[in-house]
Every structure is written in C-alpha cells, then in structure tokens.
Amino acid sequence: MARPRLAVVKFASCDGCQLSLLDCEDELLAVAGAVEIANFPEASRAMQPGPYDVTLVEGSITTEHDAARLRALRDETLILVSIGACATSGGIQALRNFADVGEMVRAVYARPDFINTLATSTPVAAHVKVDYELRGCPIDKGQLLELVSALLAGRRPGLPSHSVCVECKLAGQVCVMVAHGTPCLGPVTHAGCGSLCPGYHRGCYGCFGPAETTNTTSLAAQWQALGASQRDIHRAFRTFNAASEPFRKEADAHG
Amino acid sequence: MADIKRIRVEMLARVEGEGALEVDIAGGTVQSVRLSIFEPPRLFEAFLRGRAATEVPDIAARICGICPVAYQMSASHAIETAFGMQPTPEIRALRRLLYCGEYIESHALHMVMLHAPDFLGFEDGIAMAAVHGDLVKRALAAKKAGNRLMTVVGGREIHPINVRLGGFYRVPSRAELTALQPDLARARDDAVAILRWAVGFDFPDVERDWELVALRHPTEYPLNEGRIASTSGIDIAFDEFETVFEERHIAHSNALHAVVRERGGYLTGPLARYALNFDRLPAHIQALAREAGLGPVCRNPYRSILVRAIETVYVCEEAMRLIAAYTPPKEAAVKLTPRAGTGAWATEAPRGLLWHRYELDEDGTVRTARIVPPTAQNQPAMEADLLDVASRHVDYPDAALQLACEAAVRNHDPCISCATHFLKLTVNRE
C-alpha cells in the first residue's frame, strides 16, 4: 500500500508548531517511515507537488497572496488540519484586527509603502474547509502524534474539547485560583497542554483558546473578586487567541 | 541578444520561515542578488505598545518558535533594567541554564537536520538518516536533551511558560535538575561525535572579511550578559546600540537591514561569538576546536557547523556545571517595582545578537518597543555571500547554482520568521 503523502506548510507564524513535529525526536524517523513527507520546506528541499493525503497548516492568513495559496492547497488536499493558535484563531497577529493596521505598519517600518498586508489576521477555517484542528500556542506534541497515528489508522483522533480545568483536576494539581487567589483562565481554556501553567504555580493564560463550552462572564466576575482590573481582564482575553469569538466578546466587555 | 532564462523555485528549504532569493545574470556575470524576506509583517513592536510589562516575555516569545528563550531573556533583562532591578545570582544562573537548553536544541537541529545535508548531497536529514543513521540519531538525542532541559526549567520547550520578569514562577528542585545530568553528558559526547564527523566534510575554501559583532563578557562565554563588541573595535553598552547601528528598510524585504552606521554590513552569530570569545572557552574545548582544525577565529561560513558543534559541547558542559552548583533560589522571582523609564538589553540568541529596547510608563505599561533580531542584522552579510557564491559558480547549471546559493544562506541559520517569510529563488539569465 502506498504511504500517505504528508505536507506541512506555513503562513504567518513563528514556525513553532511545525517545529513540534521535528521535536518528536523519538518518533520522527518512525513517522517519516510511515508517511511520505512530500512537502515540508522547513525540513526538506524535496518539495513534491500535490495531491496530498494530509496537510498540516500552520499560521494565519494576513495577505491576499496567502489566501490564494491556501485555497489552492485545499484543492489538492484530502485531509486538512490546522495546527496552532495562528491557524485556528488568527493568532497573536489578530491583535491587528482591533487596531488601525496602517498605523501599526507605520510604527514598525520606516517605509510603510513597501509593506503589503491585510487589515485582519484570520484563521484557516475562515477561508477553506478544515477537517481537524490542533489548538495551542504552540500545539502539544502528544496531541500531534495522536492525530498522525489516528489518521494513519483510519480512526478519529481523540482530542478532548473540555477545559484545562479538567486536565488540572485529573493531574491532581492544587487549584491556583482557589488556593492561592491567582487569576487563571483554566476554566474556559481548551484542554491539550496538560495544565502546564498551574503546575508551575501560575494561572493559565489561555494559549489553547476557548474550550467547547465556556462561561467567560462568570470567570471574569471571579477575576474581579480576586482583584483583577477591567484592563487586566481585557488583556488576558486579548492575547494569542484574541479573535476567537468567546475571548473576543469577553475582552470587548472589559475594554 | 542571448536567450533569457528564468528559473523560479517556490521556497528556500531548511530554514525557519520563508523568503526569496533572486539572482540576476547577464552576459555571464552576476548583476545583483537579493535575499527577499516577505514574511507577512507580524507587527510585534506595535502589538507590544499598551501591554503590561509583565506580559512582554510571553508575547515576545511568539516572534520565534525556534529561539523563544532568546526573546524572553532579552525582553526580561531590558525591562528589569528600565525598572532598576537586578536578578539575584541564583536566578541569573537558572536563566543561563535555560538558555543552554535552547542552544543545544537549536544547534543540534541546525547542524544535522538543516546544515549537514548540504555537504553530503541529501535533500534533508531524514533521507540522510538512511546512510548516516547513527549521527542523525545522536543529533536527535542531543536535541531531546536540550528540549528536556528547557521543559524542566521553562515548563515547555516551545514558548516556555515559566519565565517572568524578575525570574521564574516556580524554580526546579535539585532532584529534577540532577536527573538531567546523564542525558546532558551523552549530549556532550554526541556533539563531539558530530564535530568529528563534520570535520571530514568538503568545505569550500572561502574567507570572509566581515566585521564580527557579538557580546563580550569579563569572564564568561556570553549568553545573557556582556557588552556589545566587534572585531573592528566596537565596545559599547546596550543602550548605545542605536548610536552605532542603524536599521534600514529595503524595498525588497519585510525585514529591516541592520548596519554599522560608519561601515555598513556586519555578521553576528556563532562565528562572531566564537571569534570574540575564544579565550572564554575552557582550555580543553579550545583544544577540541584546534583538533577540528579551527583557529581562534573562523571566517569561513561553511565551517560554522564546526563552531556550532564546539558551542554545543560548551553549553552541555556549562549546563552540567550549573546543575552541579545549583542552589534553588529562595524566591522564584525578584519583586517588581515598576517605574517610568527606558531599558535596552541584548542577549546571544543561537543565531546571533538579539537587541531589545522598551520605553515604559510609570505603571509598567509599554510605551514603545524596538526589537532588532539577528537575521535582520545578518541580511547584508548573507547577500554579500550570495553575490560571491553566485559569481564564482555563474557557469553552473541552474539546479547546481540554486543549491549553492541556498547553502550560502543556510550557513547562517537564518530565522526568517523572526525577521519576518517566503523564500523563492529566481535566476534571471540574459
């Protein structure tokens, strides 16, 4: 049987999510044996044309050119997976969506006229059909391997959509919000990281974006009770998944 | 008029991020080369305005998934300077330890998975593993040891969550760190094996006369601290950076080019760090470098793989030394007292000098941010290399010329995402 053809491509992003694949040091050569890595420019010069069985897409769409590239890629891909906060929500780049992008370009570049960029940073799903999503800034290696294994085995990947709070309880960690009064986004944040931040005595900062069902209003009230200012709450929801709907709305409510 | 021939390659591979190469050839002579970085602008310096200083290490890290610690370190030190605070010696040591992890991970990836295939005629490290499986496995094992160190100290290897202004959220126990020692010792041996393997590569015989710019510290091989020094006599504090260097915005690039105001392009990164700090390496590592045919200065960018191996040996040993001497800090972080002011700092990212400056309001809100990443600084030197390589190989068939040009860029381990993405090679022949 022919090995499935894999592509890994990026748009506006930091490269961290595709690096997660190279960071699977123990599994990389096995994965490379089970699939044909047809197009993965960060790792290989051998860039084969489509069609691809599976394409992992990192990054958000911030130029017309990238939007067209993405549409072409969808046409030659059987299963398209967006990986990471940029691809699933627009990422940190989406902070431009709430500002005057022209002014931002002028603040960074001496010659804004050389720069060509869209006013918004949008997720992959805003442009094309997406089959699976891996959340996170960055994604979790374990979830990536689960996804690849499931697709190879022809089953649905097991990617829980509950909150970090559930993971934290499963890990038997002390609740930083209840025990230490540390504001935490764990109750509304999508699982996947293994509740890292509470394990390091800090509150979750929401880098996996909103969980499937969220009550951000109630959480914001609890943050206020712990002494967080309106500005603190606004900024907490306006980071790496700022354009995801539940976080956008809650940030607006405190802006 | 001769035929016009154009070759277009969609993307330069095995670099972080995306960019384009363009080589114009007419009458058998290279007319110009351009390394275009048109990463969609990511506008971090604009995003950072109005954020709380405490958010900056997390946000700045997202500039680069390959060297997030560098961003976190330069940002933290710069803001602490503005606040007039200093980390304790224990926190200083723990930061250096975290940075060692990033060096091991980043250098191991570049040496074997990104750089070595150019010398051995493979498309990638995975194909190379069919012939050089032992070395690829050793590199991956070393990389894993670096990532493991970053995970224990930083919480995770990509975008660590445990770094904060003033120090950390939680400091590791002695037992957690001591458990890393065997893997670090093996990673050190792996780096020596990679060095001895790479010594046998066929290196093009070139010497570059760039001005080399790196940090220089009174006693240490520099990672987090020092003064900015160069082979042409620059010796400045971090806040003097803008008086000596300037960034220029070039039409073909979404990255800004940095130049020495007086003289033009320069090079930062492993070759510069090594040349300016050879005397800061322990004698046995200097001996290892000599055994690999390296003098105290190496000006051949192809041989940077050897210098990265030497640095990897060094940071593995340094990490082991720091762990052996580790005393958990009493407080995980120094208490923060915001005040209005400006702070500048540079640290040595694996691929070169990373300078940050922040202007802060009295409550710690960021008023302005400026970030000069290593790849923007190296862009003029990379283009000079390209011009030389393309000129020397102008009669190569297009595919071979393309490979030579790509290799010239990969020598410098550019992080185009940092600078900003999208690498194509266009050869225009007239």
Side-chain angles (χ1 to χ4, degrees):
Chain A
M1 194 180 102
R3 295 179 299 164
R5 306 187 82 225
L6 175 71
V8 185
V9 299
K10 78 166 236 136
F11 296 93
S13 64
C14 77
D15 283 54
C17 289
Q18 50 180 329
L19 179 67
S20 299
L21 185 54
L22 298 175
D23 276 354
C24 297
E25 291 95 359
D26 292 337
E27 300 87 1
L28 180 63
L29 295 179
V31 169
V35 303
E36 178 194 346
I37 298 181
N39 185 3
F40 185 3
E42 188 177 44
S44 178
R45 300 184 75 230
M47 290 173 267
Q48 313 285 344
Y52 310 113
D53 295 296
V54 178
T55 299
L56 306 179
V57 180
E58 173 190 288
S60 67
I61 303 303
T62 61
T63 66
E64 285 292 356
H65 177 260
D66 277 357
R69 245 176 92 208
L70 175 61
R71 288 191 296 270
L73 190 66
R74 175 70 266 190
D75 288 341
E76 51 187 15
T77 297
L78 196 59
I79 298 171
L80 188 144
V81 184
S82 28
I83 61 167
C86 297
T88 58
S89 82
I92 185 82
Q93 288 85 243
L95 292 178
R96 74 176 64 192
N97 302 7
F98 312 102
D100 171 359
V101 75
E103 189 282 324
M104 285 187 158
V105 169
R106 286 192 293 279
V108 176
Y109 293 98
R111 292 291 306 270
D113 51 314
F114 292 166
I115 300 297
N116 186 9
T117 191
L118 292 170
T120 55
S121 169
T122 42
V124 171
H127 300 265
V128 299
K129 177 176 169 285
V130 169
D131 298 292
Y132 296 101
E133 287 191 338
L134 285 185
R135 299 287 199 86
C137 183
I139 57 169
D140 175 75
K141 270 195 316 200
Q143 289 208 327
L144 177 63
L145 287 171
E146 163 60 17
L147 176 98
V148 171
S149 311
L151 295 181
L152 282 172
R155 61 171 172 84
R156 282 190 75 79
L159 301 168
S161 56
H162 55 234
S163 69
V164 168
C165 225
V166 174
E167 288 190 306
C168 196
K169 300 294 167 290
L170 286 168
Q173 290 175 162
V174 171
C175 177
V176 295
M177 200 147 72
V178 172
H180 308 300
T182 303
C184 179
L185 287 180
V188 299
T189 298
H190 197 283
C193 65
S195 64
L196 269 182
C197 289
Y200 277 77
H201 305 175
R202 78 178 281 193
C204 164
Y205 62 89
C207 72
F208 275 60
E212 193 170 61
T213 51
T214 58
N215 189 343
T216 53
T217 310
S218 170
L219 181 66
Q222 188 57 32
W223 274 47
Q224 275 180 300
L226 292 172
S229 68
Q230 289 287 96
R231 198 168 162 227
D232 292 337
I233 296 169
H234 171 76
R235 288 193 296 217
F237 283 102
R238 190 142 287 176
T239 58
F240 311 105
N241 294 277
S244 63
E245 198 52 15
F247 284 11
R248 183 195 65 74
K249 276 167 66 182
E250 199 57 43
D252 281 345
H254 304 273
Chain B
M1 173 139 179
D3 286 346
I4 297 170
K5 196 163 154 193
R6 171 174 295 180
I7 293 173
R8 194 181 290 275
V9 179
E10 283 305 318
M11 222 174 271
L12 182 74
R14 301 205 321 269
V15 297
E16 289 101 13
E18 297 168 327
L21 295 180
E22 231 173 79
V23 179
D24 293 331
I25 299 167
T29 318
V30 178
Q31 303 297 313
S32 68
V33 296
R34 299 197 310 184
L35 174 58
S36 305
I37 290 179
F38 40 105
E39 156 124 5
R42 292 175 66 219
L43 307 171
F44 274 88
E45 289 149 309
F47 300 156
L48 286 164
R49 293 174 311 178
R51 304 300 300 214
T54 47
E55 297 180 289
V56 175
D58 290 326
I59 295 176
R62 267 63 183 189
I63 293 173
C64 180
I66 324 292
C67 48
V69 169
Y71 282 88
Q72 294 185 327
M73 292 296 114
S74 288
S76 299
H77 284 291
I79 293 170
E80 289 160 9
T81 302
F83 289 170
M85 347 165 5
Q86 281 212 317
T88 61
E90 291 81 9
I91 285 168
R92 186 181 177 279
L94 204 49
R95 283 178 166 172
R96 187 168 173 84
L97 179 62
L98 176 63
Y99 224 144
C100 287
E102 180 157 288
Y103 265 68
I104 300 168
E105 172 272 317
S106 177
H107 276 5
L109 175 73
H110 188 262
M111 287 188 292
V112 175
M113 302 306 280
L114 308 182
H115 202 191
D118 278 334
F119 298 100
L120 299 173
F122 293 95
E123 303 284 56
D124 52 61
I126 291 164
M128 195 174 72
V131 182
H132 300 274
D134 179 53
L135 265 297
V136 171
K137 283 178 192 153
R138 293 191 80 155
L140 289 172
K143 181 170 169 318
K144 188 180 174 187
N147 274 335
R148 188 74 206 131
L149 174 56
M150 289 174 76
T151 302
V152 170
V153 180
R156 67 181 166 199
E157 59 274 61
I158 301 169
H159 305 329
I161 52 97
N162 193 26
V163 172
R164 68 190 300 182
L165 297 182
F168 296 87
Y169 288 91
R170 172 172 87 73
V171 295
S173 68
R174 197 171 286 162
E176 281 177 292
L177 292 183
T178 303
L180 300 169
Q181 293 284 45
D183 283 347
L184 288 167
R186 272 192 291 274
R188 185 243 175 235
D189 294 345
D190 293 333
V192 172
I194 292 166
L195 175 73
R196 292 187 172 144
W197 173 62
V199 162
F201 293 173
D202 186 14
F203 296 108
D205 192 15
V206 297
E207 290 273 309
R208 302 283 187 233
D209 60 358
W210 307 298
E211 179 167 0
L212 302 172
V213 175
L215 294 187
R216 172 116 176 120
H217 183 273
T219 56
E220 295 171 337
Y221 198 80
L223 300 180
N224 282 68
E225 296 171 19
R227 286 169 66 82
I228 298 169
S230 87
T231 47
S232 301
I234 292 172
D235 177 14
I236 56 167
F238 298 132
D239 58 5
E240 297 172 281
F241 181 87
E242 286 164 301
T243 63
V244 176
F245 300 92
E246 77 178 307
E247 280 191 304
R248 293 182 188 154
H249 193 177
I250 313 286
H252 61 260
S253 185
N254 283 354
L256 301 162
H257 284 206
V259 293
V260 180
R261 284 182 196 278
E262 310 265 302
R263 294 182 289 274
Y266 60 95
L267 186 78
T268 177
L271 294 183
R273 234 172 4 241
Y274 176 85
L276 287 156
N277 297 285
F278 182 77
D279 59 345
R280 299 288 182 259
L281 290 168
H284 69 280
I285 291 182
Q286 292 179 351
L288 196 63
R290 289 201 183 89
E291 180 199 308
L294 292 169
V297 176
C298 171
R299 290 186 163 275
N300 181 338
Y302 296 91
R303 288 183 188 270
S304 65
I305 189 170
L306 304 178
V307 174
R308 284 190 192 88
I310 291 291
E311 287 196 330
T312 308
V313 175
Y314 172 73
V315 291
C316 287
E317 292 188 6
E318 181 68 355
M320 288 190 283
R321 184 189 69 78
L322 288 163
I323 291 173
Y326 180 62
T327 315
K330 285 197 184 63
E331 297 291 337
V334 177
K335 200 177 161 339
L336 229 54
T337 316
R339 68 178 195 198
T342 300
W345 201 276
T347 68
E348 284 285 348
R351 44 195 59 67
L353 193 74
L354 171 60
W355 184 85
H356 288 214
R357 176 176 54 66
Y358 298 92
E359 188 190 349
L360 301 152
D361 286 338
E362 57 198 28
D363 67 348
T365 302
V366 177
R367 188 185 279 273
T368 63
R370 243 170 75 69
I371 294 171
V372 182
T375 297
Q377 300 179 68
N378 285 345
Q379 198 165 338
M382 287 193 286
E383 288 191 344
D385 266 19
L386 272 175
L387 181 61
D388 177 66
V389 167
S391 301
R392 280 189 295 118
H393 303 308
V394 70
D395 53 348
Y396 272 21
D398 288 335
L401 179 61
Q402 183 200 335
L403 180 57
C405 289
E406 287 185 26
V409 174
R410 282 194 282 267
N411 283 335
H412 297 289
D413 189 14
C415 184
I416 293 165
S417 303
C418 290
T420 222
H421 71 221
F422 213 96
L423 222 29
K424 294 180 190 174
L425 175 69
T426 309
V427 181
N428 298 322
R429 290 187 196 264
E430 276 181 35

